[in-house]
Amino acid sequence: NTLGHKISIKYHNDYIVNYEYHQDEKKYFRYVERKNNGIDHGKINKTMVSNIIVQYAVIDKIDQDTLGRVDVQLVGEGIAKVFSAGNYQIAKWVKKEKNDQTLFLSEKGYPISLNQGLTWVHILSPDLNVWFK
């Protein structure tokens, strides 16, 4: 029994990203549920992706920024969830310096192999939930 066939990331009540794995194509069907002022705009932004990574990072509001920008701490390490080929695994992300590539490592410390094709990386605050089954 594999986990990771259906994934839902709820950024807030009006913006939810969903993925559904299609075994025959070996890809995830990505769609976004958007609402605006309580009006449901349905499912939009249909895309097929091979891998989904949820990277948890500290996200802080920038004081006195009137545009609502945030500071995302992407140097260091943290937890990630990797979905690929209808499967799920917990991972560790590591980025030692600002210009380094982010590495996604298995529980044993080896780089995680991703399927060829598009990979979507969602960077989330640790307090946001991801549902999958």
Side-chain angles (χ1 to χ4, degrees):
N1 188 14
T2 59
L3 296 174
H5 283 245
K6 292 186 179 184
I7 304 155
S8 184
I9 303 167
K10 185 176 183 178
Y11 286 92
H12 53 75
N13 287 337
D14 294 338
Y15 191 83
I16 302 169
V17 178
N18 295 290
Y19 294 92
E20 187 171 320
Y21 186 68
H22 290 255
Q23 178 68 37
D24 54 335
E25 298 180 41
K26 298 194 181 344
K27 295 198 184 286
Y28 291 88
F29 180 75
R30 178 186 191 275
Y31 60 93
V32 178
E33 295 180 43
R34 293 185 70 179
K35 296 178 183 175
N36 191 0
N37 295 328
I39 299 169
D40 189 351
H41 291 277
K43 299 173 183 176
I44 59 171
N45 196 17
K46 297 173 183 171
T47 307
M48 296 297 275
V49 300
S50 297
N51 310 288
I52 302 141
I53 298 174
V54 176
Q55 179 179 350
Y56 291 100
V58 175
I59 301 173
D60 294 314
K61 292 181 182 179
I62 298 174
D63 289 337
Q64 315 217 348
D65 185 312
T66 58
L67 298 176
R69 291 176 284 201
V70 294
D71 177 30
V72 182
Q73 296 178 24
L74 295 176
V75 175
E77 58 183 58
I79 299 297
K81 295 177 180 174
V82 178
F83 300 88
S84 187
N87 295 302
Y88 157 80
Q89 65 181 308
I90 196 81
K92 176 180 176 180
W93 66 265
V94 177
K95 184 172 181 166
K96 293 182 180 180
E97 300 288 334
K98 179 181 175 183
N99 293 326
D100 288 350
Q101 178 180 348
T102 302
L103 302 175
F104 296 96
L105 307 174
S106 70
E107 291 177 330
K108 295 183 179 181
Y110 298 112
I112 290 179
S113 296
L114 298 174
N115 286 335
Q116 193 171 19
L118 290 175
T119 298
W120 279 78
V121 178
H122 292 268
I123 299 173
L124 300 179
S125 173
D127 61 338
L128 282 179
N129 288 323
V130 175
W131 293 270
F132 59 94
K133 61 180 180 174

